[in-house]
Amino acid sequence: MSSFRVLRVARNVSRLAQPISISARVSRTAVLPSISQKQTPQLLTRAFSVSSRVFASTEADKQLLTTLDSEIKHEVESMNEVPEQPEFLQEFKKAGIWTIEDAPGQDEVFITRKFEGENIRVMFTISDVENSEPVFDEEGSEEEDEEALSGLFPIRASIQVTKPTGGALNIEALVQDGIFSIETVSYYKDAKLASEMSAESDYKRRGKYIGPQFEHLDVSVQEAFEAYLSERNIDESLALFIPEYAEWKEQKEYLSWLNGVKSFITA
């Protein structure tokens, strides 16, 4: 797994550990205009409001742009250390089993394939990478932190299997450490209801019985479902690929976001 997020979190930890300069606070306070105590509360409020707006549209913008430029520089340097298409992605595409449907700027990623007339779709989001909360050991080295964080980003995946004859299976799972940990298996007579991404369909799905928790099923049933997925290449190989791809895409989207914010501030 790439170390993009490890490096980003490490920088944030380092920045938070730096002491705040008291002299900087004093100098910023000094730019506020002096206000006589004889002024009415109304005038006092108005004067403070005006000075705040002036500060926010000049010094604050400049400070934000400087910070954004520094962060962009770090991210570009990190991205330059890997090829445009990392080796793990080249190998995945070379296998020719799955097709990746990924639009720039979108949080969701779809991986699809056909198997014996079935249409199979695996969906996951890159926000799961950002929402994870890694913890650093203050006494540990950078290498130890990176090693400890490797594989610690669980990604939630929704697996859907549909047939031309109708109906669909929706399987919710957590992907981590090369394993699909199944949580629920739902059956829908209407495949459209199972797959349609609309508010109405989402509302209808909420009223459906989604089946028992997977862990409550008989062990033999659990093993049969796991074999069912493995036969369709929803296996260790895919479970290792998903978190790696999610982290790689999240890094690209983060850099794009930084540049977008910078463009807005400078417009």
Side-chain angles (χ1 to χ4, degrees):
M1 182 176 290
S2 60
S3 59
F4 294 136
R5 178 162 169 76
V6 176
L7 294 174
R8 193 191 310 169
V9 175
R11 290 202 306 274
N12 291 340
V13 171
S14 176
R15 289 168 184 164
L16 290 173
Q18 296 177 357
I20 299 175
S21 171
I22 297 178
S23 60
R25 282 197 224 141
V26 174
S27 64
R28 287 201 297 269
T29 305
V31 302
L32 295 176
S34 60
I35 301 173
S36 171
Q37 293 181 354
K38 295 181 181 180
Q39 288 179 288
T40 64
Q42 181 179 3
L43 290 176
L44 178 65
T45 303
R46 183 178 178 184
F48 179 80
S49 176
V50 171
S51 64
S52 295
R53 288 199 298 270
V54 172
F55 179 80
S57 62
T58 55
E59 295 299 324
D61 285 12
K62 183 178 179 180
Q63 182 180 1
L64 176 57
L65 287 173
T66 300
T67 305
L68 288 172
D69 282 334
S70 176
E71 188 70 5
I72 289 171
K73 180 182 177 181
H74 280 296
E75 297 304 318
V76 169
E77 289 174 352
S78 297
M79 292 293 288
N80 287 340
E81 294 177 0
V82 297
E84 186 175 349
Q85 278 205 2
E87 185 178 352
F88 80 89
L89 182 55
Q90 295 179 33
E91 292 178 355
F92 184 81
K93 290 183 174 181
K94 186 178 180 180
I97 299 173
W98 297 92
T99 300
I100 303 173
E101 298 176 8
D102 177 9
Q106 296 299 309
D107 183 53
E108 296 178 337
V109 179
F110 298 91
I111 302 179
T112 62
R113 69 163 303 196
K114 291 184 179 296
F115 176 82
E116 301 292 333
E118 299 173 347
N119 291 312
I120 303 174
R121 184 188 73 182
V122 180
M123 187 273 287
F124 60 93
T125 65
I126 63 173
S127 57
D128 285 344
V129 175
E130 182 61 27
N131 291 336
S132 60
E133 296 292 341
V135 179
F136 287 89
D137 183 357
E138 294 181 0
E139 298 180 358
S141 66
E142 224 175 86
E143 291 182 0
E144 289 174 344
D145 287 331
E146 183 175 339
E147 183 178 352
L149 288 171
S150 179
L152 293 184
F153 300 111
I155 304 293
R156 190 164 296 281
S158 294
I159 305 163
Q160 184 179 97
V161 182
T162 61
K163 291 185 175 183
T165 54
L169 284 181
N170 277 12
I171 301 168
E172 299 296 326
L174 203 62
V175 184
Q176 188 174 17
D177 298 329
I179 298 173
F180 281 93
S181 298
I182 303 173
E183 296 181 339
T184 60
V185 180
S186 306
Y187 166 68
Y188 294 88
K189 291 182 179 180
D190 184 356
K192 183 179 179 181
L193 175 62
S195 60
E196 195 171 56
M197 307 293 285
S198 67
E200 182 180 359
S201 293
D202 184 57
Y203 177 77
K204 290 180 179 179
R205 283 193 293 269
R206 292 181 185 181
K208 296 288 185 180
Y209 173 67
I210 63 172
Q213 289 294 308
F214 189 76
E215 63 182 0
H216 295 164
L217 293 172
D218 186 84
V219 174
S220 62
V221 178
Q222 294 183 37
E223 292 175 346
F225 266 117
E226 290 167 354
Y228 172 87
L229 293 179
S230 180
E231 186 179 36
R232 289 155 176 77
N233 293 103
I234 303 173
D235 51 15
E236 180 183 5
S237 177
L238 185 61
L240 289 172
F241 171 81
I242 288 176
E244 200 159 15
Y245 187 88
E247 189 177 14
W248 176 72
K249 175 177 168 61
E250 194 275 337
Q251 176 68 14
K252 293 200 305 176
E253 296 297 345
Y254 176 59
L255 181 57
S256 177
W257 175 83
L258 287 171
N259 284 309
V261 173
K262 178 182 176 181
S263 298
F264 175 80
I265 300 298
T266 57

